[in-house]
């Protein structure tokens, strides 16, 4: 039976991952800012088979609170077998371009908060010498594009941070998984005019995540074809890339 | 956003909202007091779930409580029947009533008061609902049941989303020992034999017949009747899920008189003797079409409509054969024609089933289809029958009112609870339910 901490547990993707673990009888600890919704999610996961589900309010903006929240979670679960970091925002790129405040807010939620979280959790996991730290980054972090480079650069920071962390924690037997989803049909992308053919379902992404946790993969793209899409995009020379409207 | 129902006809360009909590539903009702349309998984065929402002239930999809002793499940309206099966079949519980697809929501199943192959013994979906929580407007969330606001309960079950937004419901599940079904298929050479088979097998919990609606003359109404019951053993094995997707619209030319005839003939001769029995998993038994996702694209880009009517038992054979003859003569017959004997009607104001026979068949949308369907409407009404609202995309106000004489009571309940303006759909406007 696994002890699982989920940060940003009201996320659609995280929710589907939680259902999978619940069906196997996991003990879950959920952090999120919407506690009313967390309550309903917890009820749902219990019925689906989770041995226990606890919830705690958490706002990514409030970095001061992290240490205490995480210690409480660790004390309650006794051990983190899996930690999934899922919170994030996809802000309005256009608005960010004319607002320092909005830009820094995006960086704050998507990069700074995640990195702060990981710094604390990493040390807890080093002590327990086992477990998986799974972080949802994004294909958007693989290359900066005019349409979403604020979000993309935050995710790039997370990806690089995890790369380094993986090497460090590897020596303590802790597995670090970087998850790079493509476009997923979740509240985050709601209302955006995206090609339906390229929109993955959160269920499908969750299946890939659980599988990667089991296999102890280092980096996954989900759905799989994004690995090839991104490897193409990454190799376009900058002098052409800058002229493309992506 | 352009949306359509399962038949891909008609389409609407409307706004879709995805409330994630009862509070968000209340706020949306406040800001759209001139009318919203609840929407589940869009498996109704026509325009029941279409409107200018649609409230999609996909984020109201939590199981809220389960009484494992009684098998009573309390869940949000956006939970799908597929989800319920996945979680509860391994625990030995099954849906009390299920339509021919598991990709519908609890809210949609209540709003259409759906029936399954066991209607003759277990009635409609609503008959297994303990209570419903219904959001009427910004301020009111009412719990309704047979004891609390019974008038609203009777209007909401089968009420096509026109009496409020269902937020959650309590459903009585049914205990099973196995996820398998013992199925027997019987062959009937004509309509008379088909109807006789329903009589003979009326004690079987599940029964449905597949009718070859192209066959004429002495073979008119020949069919395969399938009966089934939950097996006593074999294990509680979950289903395998979907397998195959139709990625593009098929050219609708592929579906013509000859291909349908060929299909019908092959299917009918699958059963060589008078009956065959085997044990099958519940998935192929209840949901044969769910193994092909997006099969609705088969009818081409203009879409299709399903014509489903019921006629009272007394009108039985005569009415059915008149209607079948008209369809066969038109040459527009369909791939699927499903015949079922219904049990007694319930007290809901707009529920479709009544004691008698129901036939459902698909027609691709093409020129001259609607005049044919209009003439079928007249025959159905003549015999005291009616059409199923959740399949309908085209009937006229007159046909609706004659088929559903309790529509005035339905309007009165909506008036009494002040929801007439707040809940509408393309269909309700077409049928004069505004
Ligand atoms: C392959 C197939 C087989 C089928 N077989 C059967 C069958 O055997 N028997 C049968 O009875 N039906 C059958 N149906 C029809 C289907 O069961 C109904 O149309 C059902 O209502 C669809 O549910 P949905 O969640 O997709 O709802 P939608 O199609 O999205 O909506 C249907 C109606 O319910 C209302 N509604 C949805 N959610 C709510 C809510 N939360 N509150 C209030 N109103 C709401 C909508 O406004 C609309 O009027 C079949 C459909 C298909 C595609
Ligand atoms: N959807 C995609 O196409 C896509 C693609 C690549 C990567 N991703 C990444 O996948 C992860 C999950 O996103 P999703 O697609 O599942 O979208 P989602 O359902 O919108 O989830 C986003 C989550 O972040 C939470 N959150 C946002 N700001 C927060 C804050 N200040 N404090 C606490 N929590 C906060 C949200 O909480 P509330 O519920 O309270 O709003 C929500 O739970 C994100 O990291 C996202 O960047 C998504």
């Amino acid at each position: 039976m696994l002890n699982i901490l989920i940060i940003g547990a009201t996320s659609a993707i995280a929710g589907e991952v939680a259902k999978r673990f619940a069906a196997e009888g996991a003990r879950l600890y959920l952090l999120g800012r919407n506690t009313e919704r967390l309550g309903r999610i917890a009820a749902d996961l219990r019925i689906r088979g989770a041995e226990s589900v606890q919830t705690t309010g958490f706002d990514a903006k409030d970095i001061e609170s992290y240490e205490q929240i995480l210690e409480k979670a660790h004390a309650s679960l006794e051990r983190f077998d899996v930690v999934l970091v899922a919170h994030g925002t996809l802000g309005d790129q256009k608005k960010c371009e004319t607002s320092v405040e909005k830009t820094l807010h995006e960086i704050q939620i998507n990069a700074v908060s995640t990195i702060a979280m990981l710094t604390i959790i990493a040390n807890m996991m080093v002590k327990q010498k086992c477990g998986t730290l799974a972080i949802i980054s994004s294909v958007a972090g693989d290359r900066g594009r005019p349409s979403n480079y604020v979000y993309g650069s935050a995710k790039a920071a997370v990806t690089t941070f995890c790369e380094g962390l993986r090497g460090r924690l590897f020596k303590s037997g802790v597995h670090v998984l970087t998850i790079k989803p493509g476009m997923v049909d979740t509240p985050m992308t709601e209302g955006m005019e995206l090609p339906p053919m390229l929109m993955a379902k959160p269920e499908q992404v969750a299946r890939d995540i659980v599988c990667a946790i089991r296999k102890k993969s280092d980096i996954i793209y989900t759905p799989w074809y994004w690995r090839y899409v991104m490897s193409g995009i990454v190799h376009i020379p900058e002098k052409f890339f800058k002229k493309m409207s992506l | 956003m352009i949306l359509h129902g399962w038949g891909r006809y008609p389409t609407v360009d409307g706004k879709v909202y995805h409330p994630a909590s009862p509070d968000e539903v209340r706020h949306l009702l406040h800001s759209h007091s001139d009318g919203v349309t609840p929407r589940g998984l869009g498996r109704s065929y026509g325009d029941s779930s279409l409107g200018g402002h649609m409230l999609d239930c996909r984020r109201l999809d939590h199981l809220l409580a389960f009484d494992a002793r009684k098998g009573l499940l309390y869940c949000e309206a956006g939970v799908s029947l597929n989800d319920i099966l996945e979680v509860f079949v391994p625990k030995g519980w099954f849906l009390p009533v299920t339509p021919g697809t598991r990709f519908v929501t609890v809210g949609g199943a209540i709003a259409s008061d759906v029936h399954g192959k066991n209607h003759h013994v277990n009635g409609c979906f609503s008959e297994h609902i303990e209570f419903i929580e219904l959001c009427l407007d910004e301020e009111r969330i009412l719990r309704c049941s047979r004891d609390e606001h019974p008038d609203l309960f009777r209007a909401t079950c089968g009420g096509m989303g026109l009496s409020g937004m269902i937020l959650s419901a309590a459903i009585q599940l049914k205990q099973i020992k196995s996820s398998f079904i013992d199925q027997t298929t019987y062959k009937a050479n004509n309509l008379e034999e088909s109807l006789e088979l329903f009589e003979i097998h009326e004690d079987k919990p599940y029964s449905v017949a597949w009718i070859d609606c192209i066959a004429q003359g002495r073979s008119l109404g020949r069919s395969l009747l399938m009966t089934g019951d939950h097996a006593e053993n074999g294990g509680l094995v979950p289903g395998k899920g979907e397998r195959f997707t139709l990625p593009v619209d098929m050219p609708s030319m592929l579906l013509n008189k000859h291909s349908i005839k060929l299909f019908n003939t092959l299917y009918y001769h699958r059963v060589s003797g008078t009956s065959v029995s085997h044990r099958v998993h519940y998935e192929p038994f209840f949901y044969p079409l769910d193994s092909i996702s997006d099969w609705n694209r088969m009818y081409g880009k203009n879409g299709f409509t399903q014509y489903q009517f019921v006629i009272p038992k007394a009108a039985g054979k005569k009415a059915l054969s008149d209607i079948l003859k008209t369809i066969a003569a038109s040459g527009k017959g369909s791939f699927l024609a499903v015949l079922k004997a219904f049990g007694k009607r319930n007290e809901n104001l707009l529920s479709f089933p009544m004691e008698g026979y129901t036939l459902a068949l698909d027609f691709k949308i093409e020129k001259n289809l609607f005049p044919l369907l209009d003439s079928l409407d007249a025959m159905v009404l003549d015999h005291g029958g009616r059409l199923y609202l959740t399949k309908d995309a085209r009937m006229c106000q007159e046909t609706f009112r004659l088929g559903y004489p309790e529509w005035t009571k339905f309007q009165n309940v909506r008036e009494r609870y002040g929801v007439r303006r707040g809940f509408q759909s393309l269909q309700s406007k077409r049928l004069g339910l505004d």
Side-chain angles (χ1 to χ4, degrees):
Chain A
M1 179 203 45
L2 295 173
N3 298 294
I4 296 172
L5 171 68
I6 301 183
I7 300 162
T10 52
S11 124
I13 296 175
E16 291 302 319
V17 172
K19 282 183 193 171
R20 292 186 160 257
F21 283 121
E24 293 168 12
R27 294 173 65 201
L28 293 152
Y29 200 101
L30 312 179
L31 302 184
R33 64 176 166 176
N34 183 339
T35 46
E36 183 275 336
R37 194 166 160 76
L38 276 185
R40 281 180 294 137
I41 293 173
D44 179 82
L45 295 173
R46 283 185 202 112
I47 298 171
R48 285 171 191 275
E51 182 178 296
S52 66
V53 187
Q54 281 175 279
T55 63
T56 296
F58 138 87
D59 191 326
K61 291 198 290 284
D62 187 8
I63 293 189
E64 243 77 285
S65 69
Y66 289 7
E67 192 117 29
Q68 201 201 346
I69 291 175
L70 290 170
E71 265 161 20
K72 208 177 115 205
H74 198 258
S76 156
L77 287 179
E78 290 155 8
R79 185 181 71 232
F80 292 150
D81 294 306
V82 177
V83 178
L84 176 68
V85 187
H87 68 282
T89 53
L90 183 54
D92 185 328
Q93 167 72 28
K94 273 272 158 294
K95 288 193 177 140
C96 286
E97 286 166 16
T98 54
S99 161
V100 173
E101 194 192 327
K102 290 208 164 73
T103 300
L104 294 187
H105 177 262
E106 282 298 291
I107 303 285
Q108 170 78 13
I109 302 298
N110 292 305
V112 176
S113 94
T114 301
I115 287 172
M117 253 313 129
L118 291 176
T119 303
I120 304 169
I121 299 169
N123 294 327
M124 295 173 151
M125 306 228 3
V126 163
K127 276 195 212 131
Q128 60 176 49
K129 291 199 167 47
C130 64
T132 290
L133 196 40
I135 301 97
I136 310 188
S137 184
S138 169
V139 294
D142 282 11
R143 193 149 194 190
R145 292 179 295 128
S147 60
N148 71 350
Y149 64 85
V150 176
Y151 173 77
S153 57
K155 290 296 193 185
V158 169
T159 298
T160 308
F161 186 89
C162 290
E163 214 164 48
L165 191 64
R166 181 177 302 115
R168 179 185 143 210
L169 297 195
F170 170 72
K171 300 181 186 74
S172 314
V174 176
H175 162 220
V176 176
L177 166 66
T178 310
I179 302 152
K180 298 185 184 178
M183 287 181 267
V184 195
D185 185 7
T186 71
M188 187 171 270
T189 50
E190 209 166 279
M192 294 166 70
E193 301 278 329
L194 299 167
M197 278 288 279
L198 284 179
M199 291 296 267
K201 291 271 161 234
E203 294 86 339
Q204 183 184 357
V205 168
R207 198 181 321 130
D208 287 350
I209 293 176
V210 171
C211 176
I213 291 173
R214 298 243 151 80
K215 290 205 303 212
K216 295 205 185 300
S217 310
D218 296 322
I219 301 170
I220 59 152
Y221 286 82
T222 165
W224 59 272
Y225 48 78
W226 282 97
R227 176 180 298 276
Y228 302 95
V229 175
M230 293 321 292
S231 106
I233 289 180
V234 165
H235 286 100
I236 301 171
E238 192 65 23
K239 66 176 172 199
F240 300 123
F241 193 71
K242 72 179 177 203
K243 294 179 192 152
M244 298 168 73
S245 43
L246 283 168
Chain B
M1 191 176 181
I2 309 274
L3 278 178
H4 49 67
W6 187 246
R8 299 160 64 90
Y9 173 88
T11 56
V12 70
D13 189 0
K15 271 190 117 68
V16 189
Y17 306 88
H18 301 92
S21 67
D23 273 346
E24 287 182 30
V25 172
R26 292 197 301 120
H27 294 319
L28 282 164
L29 292 181
H30 175 63
S31 46
H32 298 94
S33 51
D34 51 342
V36 299
T37 313
R39 183 167 162 103
L41 281 165
R43 256 36 178 215
S44 54
Y45 280 68
D47 50 3
S48 323
S49 68
L50 303 180
H53 298 278
M54 292 164 272
L55 304 194
D56 183 315
C57 298
R58 71 172 68 171
R59 294 173 69 192
L60 293 168
D61 66 343
H62 300 100
L63 307 173
L64 298 173
F66 181 60
D67 181 335
R69 214 168 32 84
K70 291 197 207 144
L72 190 67
L73 170 67
Y74 171 45
C75 67
E76 289 184 295
V79 168
S80 74
L81 300 191
N82 182 55
D83 224 17
I84 296 179
L85 291 168
E86 263 180 30
V87 175
F88 292 99
V89 165
K91 301 185 204 293
W93 296 96
F94 201 74
L95 295 163
V97 163
T98 175
T101 173
R102 59 194 192 278
F103 300 110
V104 304
T105 61
V106 166
I110 295 171
S112 301
D113 202 11
V114 301
H115 57 267
K117 296 180 177 184
N118 55 352
H119 185 272
H120 60 293
V121 282
N122 296 114
C124 289
F125 194 76
S126 70
E127 285 154 64
H128 309 271
I129 294 292
E130 205 96 319
F131 64 85
I132 293 170
E133 278 159 335
L134 195 66
C135 189
L136 303 185
D137 53 33
E138 179 200 3
E139 265 144 29
R140 291 174 300 162
I141 294 181
L142 289 189
R143 182 171 144 137
C144 48
S145 66
R146 286 167 197 83
D147 310 317
E148 297 162 273
H149 307 291
D151 52 346
L152 190 56
F153 183 77
R154 293 299 181 201
T156 301
C157 300
M160 304 311 289
L162 301 173
S163 62
M165 171 99 168
I166 302 166
L167 297 176
S168 47
I171 310 162
Q172 179 60 56
L173 300 182
K174 144 178 183 176
Q175 203 146 26
I176 49 168
K177 293 188 186 129
S178 159
S179 54
F180 292 87
I181 302 285
D182 287 326
Q183 168 187 314
T184 307
T185 307
Y186 303 87
K187 193 158 142 177
N189 292 310
N190 53 45
L191 187 61
E192 191 158 3
E193 282 185 32
S194 301
L195 301 187
E196 260 167 28
L197 280 176
F198 275 113
E199 296 276 316
I200 296 170
H201 298 291
E202 67 182 359
D203 56 327
K204 300 272 175 61
Y206 298 109
S207 64
V208 70
W210 178 86
I211 276 219
D212 175 353
C213 58
I214 311 280
Q216 304 204 33
R218 272 190 305 150
S219 302
L220 183 84
R222 68 175 178 180
S223 75
L224 296 179
L225 178 102
M226 278 155 238
T227 66
D229 194 0
H230 294 279
E232 288 290 310
N233 48 44
L236 293 163
V237 194
K240 292 199 191 76
E242 278 186 313
R243 271 162 295 173
F244 174 74
T245 305
L246 215 57
V248 290
D249 298 339
M250 300 252 281
S252 61
M253 252 174 54
L254 279 180
L255 266 189
N256 55 34
K257 223 161 123 180
H258 307 289
S259 59
I260 292 171
K261 190 161 186 170
L262 183 71
F263 175 86
N264 280 359
T265 308
L266 286 177
Y267 192 99
Y268 182 72
H269 293 293
R270 228 173 49 171
V271 177
S272 46
T274 53
S275 78
V276 286
S277 299
H278 30 216
R279 181 167 284 192
V280 295
H281 190 264
Y282 75 78
E283 260 184 18
F285 182 79
F286 289 107
Y287 314 112
L289 286 168
D290 283 350
S291 60
I292 311 170
S293 35
D294 299 336
W295 64 260
N296 52 345
R297 301 183 119 186
M298 193 166 67
Y299 290 91
K301 65 173 178 2
N302 295 335
F304 69 110
T305 186
Q306 186 170 87
Y307 191 77
Q308 181 169 5
F309 64 86
V310 57
I311 43 152
K313 196 165 178 180
K317 193 188 145 206
K318 165 89 176 68
L320 281 174
S321 68
D322 286 353
I323 294 172
L324 280 171
K325 273 183 210 152
T326 310
I327 294 168
S330 78
K332 294 192 198 296
S334 79
F335 223 58
L336 270 179
V338 178
L339 176 70
K340 158 114 202 93
F342 276 153
K344 295 242 178 319
R345 57 159 295 181
N346 61 29
E347 291 170 12
N348 302 332
L349 300 177
L350 297 187
S351 282
F352 166 66
M354 59 166 87
E355 189 161 19
Y357 301 100
T358 180
L359 188 74
L361 49 151
D362 296 350
F363 291 94
K364 81 176 181 211
I365 302 288
E366 60 183 332
K367 229 174 60 205
N368 299 331
L369 172 66
F370 287 2
L372 168 70
L373 299 184
D374 290 341
S375 61
L376 297 181
D377 290 356
M379 299 169 87
V380 168
L381 290 177
D382 246 14
H383 293 290
R386 59 182 169 220
L387 307 187
Y388 195 2
L389 291 170
T390 208
K391 308 284 173 86
D392 160 60
R394 32 94 17 218
M395 80 168 113
C396 65
Q397 190 171 315
E398 190 65 13
T399 304
F400 165 68
R401 291 187 171 174
L402 290 170
Y404 291 87
E406 292 190 295
W407 72 272
T408 48
K409 287 190 197 160
F410 180 71
Q411 286 297 72
N412 290 343
V413 176
R414 288 176 80 208
E415 191 67 55
R416 198 174 315 142
Y417 285 91
V419 291
R420 249 177 101 158
R421 233 159 58 87
F423 293 89
Q424 294 170 6
S425 64
L426 291 193
Q427 181 178 49
S428 75
K429 289 182 186 154
R430 176 165 50 79
L431 300 181
L433 285 175
D434 36 18

